[in-house]
Amino acid sequence: MNVPALIEKMLVLFFAMAAGFVCGKRGWLDDTANRTISRLVVMLTNPMLALSSVMGKERLMSNRQVLALTGISFALILSCMLLSRVVVRLSHAEDADRGLLRFLFSFCNISYIGYPVVQSLFGMDASFYVTVLVLCSQLIMWSYGIHLVSGQFRWQWSILKNHCLIASSTAYIIYLTGLKVPNALASACSFLGQTTSPLIMLITGSALALMPLKNVFTNGRLYAMYAIKLVVLPVCAYFLLRNVLSDGLLLGVIITFLCIPSATNATNIAYLYGGNHELASSGVMLSTLLSMVTMPLLMHVLFG
């Protein structure tokens, strides 16, 4: 297991966020610019990232295996969401922030750092496991996840028009049907999609520059929540699942998924749908910093 490569990936992520922080302090990125970039990510780059995850990739699993993995992925994400209700309720957070805290606990940054992290730990063969997790996460994140962040808990059919949701569903269909996509189109989607992670980390860092840093490092509720999310949950899941799952690679990917910091889309969605973007940015930054220590340590202890 290549733990140094994992640490390198986490440092790159942090560097991008630090660059956004500098841009915010210098006035190169402000609140208006962050909202504009967030809209660009939702409307263009994130959908391209979802589509590129299945374009031009070799099929390594049968449709039956894909459907089984899909069921496991949904069960994993929904379990995190159910646990988040208990954890956030015990934190006695303000009612207005509970939905956002549940989002930060339930959804991880699998879309942007899942691939390099899993590939560095388990090799290229593990990539499609990540793809399915990404698709399932996107489907829930851009539907019910929006309701959590915005505080609007009723279903709206307009959500089905969300570009990220449409792209994730299309990517899943492309894989199941074995549809061949022209290489030029696959390359174009990948080229645009790869800008998603840097853009989101930039606006996350910029948002932090516009708020007092003490709000990030003095929020006791976030520390308590991430102690459970980044340490307790992965360890408990490992000992619970290691005698249940016969696929060691699947077990490794699941535990890695649980160790990954909060989804950077929390900031993105908060900007677009009226959530507390300061708390979202604080959670993303703090979880990223903490995971730079917890993730390599747990991977080494559990799988080393």
Side-chain angles (χ1 to χ4, degrees), residues 12 23 33 35 43-44 58 98 105 130 141 150 152 156 168 218 259 279 296:
V12 169
C23 290
R35 294 181 188 278
M43 298 299 180
L44 178 64
E58 182 182 355
R98 288 191 176 188
F105 187 95
V130 180
M141 180 186 300
S150 66
Q152 301 173 5
Q156 295 178 344
S168 297
T218 61
C259 291
L279 178 60

Side-chain angles (χ1 to χ4, degrees), residues 230-249:
L230 300 177
V231 179
V232 177
L233 180 58
V235 171
C236 290
Y238 173 80
F239 287 106
L240 179 65
L241 297 175
R242 66 175 180 171
N243 295 322
V244 176
L245 296 176
S246 57
D247 187 341
L249 180 57

Side-chain angles (χ1 to χ4, degrees), residues 45-57 115 131 167 171 174 185-194:
T45 68
N46 206 17
M48 293 299 101
L49 182 66
L51 289 172
S52 67
S53 69
V54 296
M55 289 182 174
K57 302 293 192 301
Y115 286 104
T131 296
I174 288 174
L185 178 59
S187 297
C189 289
S190 177
F191 180 74
L192 290 172
Q194 288 173 2

Side-chain angles (χ1 to χ4, degrees), residues 35 51 62 68-69 78 100 110 112 118-119 126 135 144 146 155 162 185 198 279 290:
R35 294 181 188 278
L51 289 172
S62 67
L69 179 57
L78 292 175
L100 176 56
I110 187 71
Y112 310 127
V118 168
Q119 288 170 3
L135 296 180
Y144 188 65
I146 291 176
W155 173 263
N162 181 279
L185 178 59
L279 178 60
L290 293 174

Side-chain angles (χ1 to χ4, degrees), residues 267-281:
T267 304
N268 196 33
I269 293 174
Y271 265 115
L272 290 179
Y273 295 95
N276 186 343
H277 59 81
E278 291 186 352
L279 178 60
S281 297

Side-chain angles (χ1 to χ4, degrees), residues 14-28:
F14 177 74
F15 179 82
M17 188 161 54
F21 183 84
V22 173
C23 290
K25 285 296 185 183
R26 297 300 298 270
W28 302 334

Side-chain angles (χ1 to χ4, degrees), residues 51-292:
L51 289 172
S52 67
S53 69
V54 296
M55 289 182 174
K57 302 293 192 301
E58 182 182 355
R59 285 178 59 90
L60 299 175
M61 305 176 70
S62 67
N63 283 355
R64 177 175 294 183
Q65 290 173 314
V66 172
L67 292 174
L69 179 57
T70 301
I72 293 172
S73 299
F74 274 123
L76 178 63
I77 297 167
L78 292 175
S79 296
C80 289
M81 294 182 68
L82 289 174
L83 181 59
S84 74
R85 181 182 293 273
V86 177
V87 172
V88 172
R89 181 174 296 177
L90 292 175
S91 72
H92 301 292
E94 296 181 9
D95 291 343
D97 293 331
R98 288 191 176 188
L100 176 56
L101 290 173
R102 289 190 60 199
F103 185 100
L104 291 170
F105 187 95
S106 303
F107 298 103
C108 71
N109 203 10
I110 187 71
S111 299
Y112 310 127
I113 66 172
Y115 286 104
V117 166
V118 168
Q119 288 170 3
S120 65
L121 291 174
F122 303 106
M124 294 298 295
D125 290 343
S127 294
F128 188 69
Y129 287 88
V130 180
T131 296
V132 175
L133 278 166
V134 167
L135 296 180
C136 294
S137 295
Q138 292 279 337
L139 288 170
I140 302 177
M141 180 186 300
W142 293 102
S143 52
Y144 188 65
I146 291 176
H147 292 307
L148 287 177
V149 174
S150 66
Q152 301 173 5
F153 293 98
R154 61 187 180 85
W155 173 263
Q156 295 178 344
W157 287 105
S158 60
I159 288 175
L160 296 178
K161 299 178 183 179
N162 181 279
H163 290 201
C164 294
L165 195 60
I166 293 172
S168 297
S169 302
T170 302
Y172 194 75
I173 293 171
I174 288 174
Y175 192 89
L176 287 179
T177 59
L179 181 66
K180 299 297 182 182
V181 178
N183 289 334
L185 178 59
S187 297
C189 289
S190 177
F191 180 74
L192 290 172
Q194 288 173 2
T195 66
T196 301
S197 186
L199 287 175
I200 289 187
M201 297 314 296
L202 283 173
I203 64 172
T204 298
S206 174
L208 287 168
L210 303 177
M211 60 183 287
L213 280 181
K214 66 178 183 180
N215 292 355
V216 179
F217 297 108
T218 61
N219 191 327
R221 291 190 178 93
L222 287 179
Y223 281 101
M225 184 179 78
Y226 285 127
I228 297 174
K229 173 180 172 61
L230 300 177
V231 179
V232 177
L233 180 58
V235 171
C236 290
Y238 173 80
F239 287 106
L240 179 65
L241 297 175
R242 66 175 180 171
N243 295 322
V244 176
L245 296 176
S246 57
D247 187 341
L249 180 57
L250 175 59
L251 174 63
V253 172
I254 288 176
I255 302 305
T256 303
F257 173 85
L258 295 175
C259 291
I260 291 177
S262 294
T264 50
N265 268 325
T267 304
N268 196 33
I269 293 174
Y271 265 115
L272 290 179
Y273 295 95
N276 186 343
H277 59 81
E278 291 186 352
L279 178 60
S281 297
S282 298
V284 170
M285 181 177 185
L286 185 60
S287 66
T288 301
L289 289 174
L290 293 174
S291 67
M292 291 176 66

